[in-house]
Each structure stands twice: as C-alpha cells, then as structure tokens.
Amino acid sequence: MTKLGAVFLPSNPPERLRDIARAADEAGLEQLWLWEDCFLNGGVAAASAALAWTTRLSVGIGIVPVPFRNVALAAMEIATMRRMFGDRAIVGIGHGVQEWMAQVGAKAASPMTLLREHATALRALLHGETVTTHGRYVRLDAVALDWVPDPAPELLFGATGPKTLRLSGELADGTILVAGTSPEGVAAARAQIGGREGHELVVFVPAATGPTAERRIAKQQESSGMDFAGAAGDAKAVAATIERFAEAGATTVVLQPTADDPEPEGFVRFVAEEVRPLIG
C-alpha cells in the first residue's frame, strides 16, 4: 500500500505547527513532513515538538543538510528522537542547497565525499558501533552513542542528480525526491537508485484543492519552474495523480500544499479523510 503524507511548509511560522500537527493526527494522517530550509524552522526542534504533541502521526524531516551538523551531533539528535518517539520519527539527510551552505560558511568542496563520509559514520553510530575515522570531512576518535536506538532507524537520502541517486542506492534505505519531480522522473530515479530490495522512494507532490486549486497550482509552477505542476482538484483527481506516482515506483507520496493555501489544517484533513480512502 502506498504511504501518504502532507507537508508543513516552513513558510508557516513555527507557532502554527501545533494546530496543524494535531489536526493531522486527529484526522488519521500517516505522515507529516517538515523541511529544514534556510533560514526558517529548525527541523529537529520542530519535528520533536510535533511528535510530542501527537500520538499516532509520523513526522519526517526532509532533509537535514549534512554540512550543518557534526555527524556525532546528528547521531545524538536522531537517536534521541527515535528512543523518545520510536519509528514515528523519520529523518532524511542530504547535501543541502549549496547557495545556502555557502552563506553559512559550510559549503563543501566535494559534497559527494562529505555525504558519503557522513552517512557511513552516521549509520555506524546509530547501529551502536564505536567509530574512529579520519576522512576528508568527517573525523571521529572512538565515538560511540550511550543511548543507541533499538532498532536502528532507516537512513534516507534526499537526492536529485544521478551521482547522489546512485550513492543513495548504495548506502541508504530510502530516497527522498523533491517536489516537481514527474512520474517519469520517479521511474528514472528508481532506475538510477538500482534494484536494492526494500528501498523506500518518497516523493513530494504539489497539490491543491478547493475552488482556486488550479490557479494556485499554475501560479506555483510558474514561480518555481517545476517540471511537474502537481495535482489540483477534488479527492478523486488528487488520488488519480498519486496512483501515477505509485505506478512509477514511489512508495510514499507526500502532498505539498501551495504557499498560499488558505487553510493548512483543512489541507491535512483533506489528505487524510478524503484522499487516503481512495488510495490502494
């Protein structure tokens, strides 16, 4: 069965998260995803709060930029969330937007090398290993977590380009694709990732409902330059779009509201109560 989620856009002020997360939980939404975009909401703080305010909802961070965090700190944060909230806490890692990474003085000369080193050390730490490594970017001396999560969490990569997709297929348990990826793009990404059994494929899909849905989706596509506009219309129309992504290989479809959505709480209820029953 295709998993279904929705996005809490970081353009919403942090104080809106509580009401939206609770609305999602009460409506039975499976997943609510957050972004750690610069310079908006902090992903770990926001996700932890959303998890504490809810009881059933899974909360994902898509993604945590690895240049931002020492890998030991990233492991401590992820382990803490998993021990507190179990598998409801989902964290993806990735390169981050290179322009933003440069702004904060964290841009790596080789993002691929950094991601490989970070992911390798992170996986080992989360599996309870003592890690010593002297890489180009990641350097640890006999580091081990005291509070290891059990079981160890899945490792997800945010990826777009072919090199990162191949690396995700090699090292990660799942891949997160950006909004605007078409169903054809999902199929192409699946091919780049390779045939690793059980590899999750999460895709963000722009979506809108209500009388102004088509206008808002068109406006977003024009302003963002997305290749794929998204889903606009009633629950049946949105569900038909989700099925196209599932057929292309997506295992989780996360619907992303437009920035000018008039009622974010209503959007998560729409996804959970009207769209979910139509998805196989």
Side-chain angles (χ1 to χ4, degrees):
M1 178 180 287
T2 306
K3 299 173 187 174
L4 191 60
V7 176
F8 172 82
L9 292 174
S11 53
N12 290 311
E15 58 268 25
R16 290 295 309 279
L17 177 57
R18 181 176 180 174
D19 288 344
I20 294 171
R22 285 186 167 176
D25 197 44
E26 291 166 3
L29 186 69
E30 294 157 77
Q31 299 180 0
L32 184 69
W33 283 77
L34 314 172
W35 301 343
E36 194 168 69
D37 281 1
C38 297
F39 296 96
L40 299 161
N41 301 328
V44 173
S48 297
L51 288 161
W53 289 324
T54 58
T55 57
R56 298 177 297 171
L57 183 70
S58 293
V59 179
I61 308 174
I63 51 124
V64 172
V66 298
F68 264 7
R69 287 179 177 82
N70 179 283
V71 68
L73 174 60
M76 290 164 61
E77 290 178 329
I78 295 170
T80 298
M81 287 195 294
R82 292 289 289 210
R83 289 186 66 105
M84 291 172 67
F85 304 110
D87 61 6
R88 291 201 297 130
I90 306 168
V91 180
I93 65 172
H95 298 303
V97 176
Q98 294 305 294
E99 181 180 352
W100 292 339
M101 298 303 100
Q103 277 184 274
V104 299
K107 183 177 180 179
S110 177
M112 291 295 297
T113 301
L114 170 57
L115 184 58
R116 176 181 288 278
E117 291 181 359
H118 188 106
T120 302
L122 180 62
R123 178 182 288 279
L125 290 167
L126 292 172
H127 279 78
E129 298 178 26
T130 299
V131 180
T132 296
T133 183
H134 303 286
R136 181 175 177 182
Y137 297 104
V138 176
R139 300 178 181 89
L140 300 175
D141 183 10
V143 174
L145 296 179
D146 286 307
W147 298 109
V148 179
D150 185 20
E154 299 81 6
L155 185 62
L156 276 66
F157 280 16
T160 53
K163 291 182 180 180
T164 310
L165 288 167
R166 288 194 293 269
L167 186 65
S168 184
E170 176 187 348
L171 296 180
D173 301 299
T175 302
I176 304 168
L177 303 178
V178 297
T181 304
S182 66
E184 294 75 19
V186 170
R190 174 66 77 182
Q192 291 280 356
I193 291 164
R196 186 173 174 184
E197 186 176 353
H199 190 96
E200 293 287 326
L201 190 54
V202 181
V203 61
F204 296 119
V205 178
T209 190
T212 62
E214 292 186 4
R215 177 184 61 77
R216 288 187 285 116
I217 284 287
K219 177 183 175 183
Q220 177 168 282
Q221 183 184 30
E222 182 180 356
S223 63
S224 65
M226 291 180 177
D227 293 333
F228 182 78
D234 61 11
K236 186 176 180 180
V238 173
T241 299
I242 293 170
E243 293 292 353
R244 290 179 58 199
F245 280 93
E247 291 168 3
T251 58
T252 299
V253 176
V254 183
L255 298 179
Q256 174 187 324
T258 59
D260 57 354
D261 189 288
E263 190 185 358
E265 291 89 345
F267 182 82
V268 297
R269 292 191 187 98
F270 166 75
V271 175
E273 297 173 351
E274 299 185 44
V275 179
R276 171 75 270 179
L278 304 178
I279 303 301

